[in-house]
Amino acid sequence: MKLGEGVEAAIHCASMLAGVDGNSTMSGAAMAEAFGLSPSYLLKHLNQLTAAGILESVSGPSGGYRLARPAERITLLDIVLAVEGKEPAFRCGEIRQRGPVKIDASAYVKPCGINAAMLKAERAYRTALAEVKVSDIVANYAAEGDPRSIAASCAFVERHQRPQKSASSKQI
Amino acid sequence: MKLGEGVEAAIHCASMLAGVDGNSTMSGAAMAEAFGLSPSYLLKHLNQLTAAGILESVSGPSGGYRLARPAERITLLDIVLAVEGKEPAFRCGEIRQRGPVKIDASAYVKPCGINAAMLKAERAYRTALAEVKVSDIVANYAAEGDPRSIAASCAFVERHQRPQKSASSKQI
């Protein structure tokens, strides 16, 4: 089982965007620079977050991305599903119905117990991800991160954020 | 996030092997037939289960596979890790250390909070998988499965199991 690398990038970007002032945006290029990522690679994941309603993108010369809602209302599960898709990791192929053991379809109305057990475990995973908000990640970083790292990150955001004239839905 | 299809096959095979008499074995070809799978595809996963000490393989003309320990001591987590590997699904690339925000390595001694949160969720997943034993899958199937399906499966095992003369470690 493997999560795509985009998940790490997406959570870091959302956490960074939680730190911009008011309705400011930050460009994809700036975030790519912050994490040493290729801008085109990151753009794909920023688009996924935008499509999922986690980020909103502002066009124009001072455009970029910002959170579409407060960091308190964005969970790690929201981000993982936006990047990885909503399908469960375990995809039952109903192999119990293949081969000579197969009998009438009416015998397979109840879901396979193996599928049920795998999906139950996945619900535990998703529940744990849903318990962590982007605001928790930021608060934990502020409390536990190395002060030099925090200062450097804040200075980066200060330098790259782009103030906007229009109201942000983040404030609603 | 996606688990390989081998997980479904591996759990079904282990559950089927839980039903053989005594120290009998079942061939990979028979199990492949039972689930409509390619024998060479299934062999790969049976080898993974054998390497992990979940199955043991018996060579010779009446050889095949059997559980290496009682079904009560094999969990879904054992099988998932055998097939998918033990690495966590979330693999932190330490992108916090890339780019211009990076400072001295001593600032990154504490694990990244994002990595910690992702691994915590994965522990919840693994804990849930570890709570389900192959014997539970079999018991649930016996209690909840369609009687026609159970009869067909039992008849298949009866027909394909291969009694052995040597003692099985399963009995120890």
Side-chain angles (χ1 to χ4, degrees), chain A residues 3 5 10 22 28 30 34 79 85 87 90 99 105 123 125 134 151 164 171:
Chain A
L3 278 168
E5 291 169 11
I79 296 175
E87 267 198 276
F90 181 79
R123 280 197 296 277
Y125 180 61
V134 169
Q164 303 293 309
Q171 308 300 316

Side-chain angles (χ1 to χ4, degrees), chain B residues 100-119:
Chain B
V101 176
K102 178 177 177 174
I103 50 172
D104 188 75
S106 64
Y108 304 106
V109 174
K110 276 193 192 171
C112 176
I114 293 172
N115 191 21
M118 293 301 294
L119 294 184

Side-chain angles (χ1 to χ4, degrees), chain B residues 22-24 56 58 66 164-172:
Chain B
N23 64 355
S24 298
E56 57 185 17
V58 175
R66 60 190 174 201
Q164 303 294 310
K165 285 172 190 162
S166 61
S168 161
S169 64
K170 191 182 155 191
Q171 307 300 316
I172 295 167

Side-chain angles (χ1 to χ4, degrees), chain A residues 1-3 7-9 11-12 33-37 76 80 84 89-96 98-101 103-104 106-107 110 112-114 117-118 121-122 124-125 128-129 137 140 144 146 148-149 152-153 156, chain B residues 1-3 7-9 11-12 33-37 76 80 84 89-96 98-101 103-104 106-107 110 112-114 117-118 121-122 124-125 128-129 137 140 144 146 148-149 152-153 156:
Chain A
M1 187 165 78
K2 193 173 184 319
L3 278 168
V7 171
E8 182 184 7
I11 301 173
H12 271 290
E33 185 191 344
F35 301 113
L37 299 168
L76 296 192
V80 168
E84 293 283 300
F90 181 79
R91 296 168 200 179
C92 175
E94 286 287 335
I95 65 170
R96 63 175 177 162
R98 296 191 209 159
V101 175
I103 50 170
D104 188 75
S106 63
K110 275 192 193 171
C112 177
I114 293 171
M118 293 300 294
E122 209 156 325
Y125 180 61
L129 287 178
I137 295 291
N140 175 67
E144 306 273 339
D146 185 279
R148 295 164 294 170
S149 164
S153 296
F156 187 90
Chain B
M1 187 166 76
K2 193 172 185 318
L3 280 167
V7 170
E8 183 184 8
I11 301 173
H12 270 291
E33 185 191 347
F35 301 113
L37 299 168
L76 295 193
V80 168
E84 294 283 301
F90 182 79
R91 296 170 200 177
C92 176
E94 285 286 336
I95 65 170
R96 64 176 178 162
R98 296 192 208 158
V101 176
I103 50 172
D104 188 75
S106 64
K110 276 193 192 171
C112 176
I114 293 172
M118 293 301 294
E122 209 156 327
Y125 180 61
L129 287 178
I137 296 290
N140 175 67
E144 306 271 340
D146 185 278
R148 294 164 295 170
S149 164
S153 296
F156 187 89

Side-chain angles (χ1 to χ4, degrees), chain A residues 26-106:
Chain A
M26 190 172 283
S27 72
M31 288 187 278
E33 185 191 344
F35 301 113
L37 299 168
S38 131
S40 59
Y41 164 84
L42 187 59
L43 185 64
K44 178 185 157 191
H45 300 301
L46 294 171
N47 284 343
Q48 290 170 324
L49 295 175
T50 306
I54 293 168
L55 303 187
E56 57 186 16
S57 86
V58 175
S59 53
S62 67
Y65 297 87
R66 61 189 172 201
L67 298 186
R69 57 180 189 265
E72 291 75 19
R73 293 204 285 120
I74 301 171
T75 71
L76 296 192
L77 180 62
D78 295 332
I79 296 175
V80 168
L81 296 184
V83 173
E84 293 283 300
K86 296 190 176 180
E87 267 198 276
F90 181 79
R91 296 168 200 179
C92 175
E94 286 287 335
I95 65 170
R96 63 175 177 162
Q97 294 195 43
R98 296 191 209 159
V101 175
K102 179 180 176 175
I103 50 170
D104 188 75
S106 63

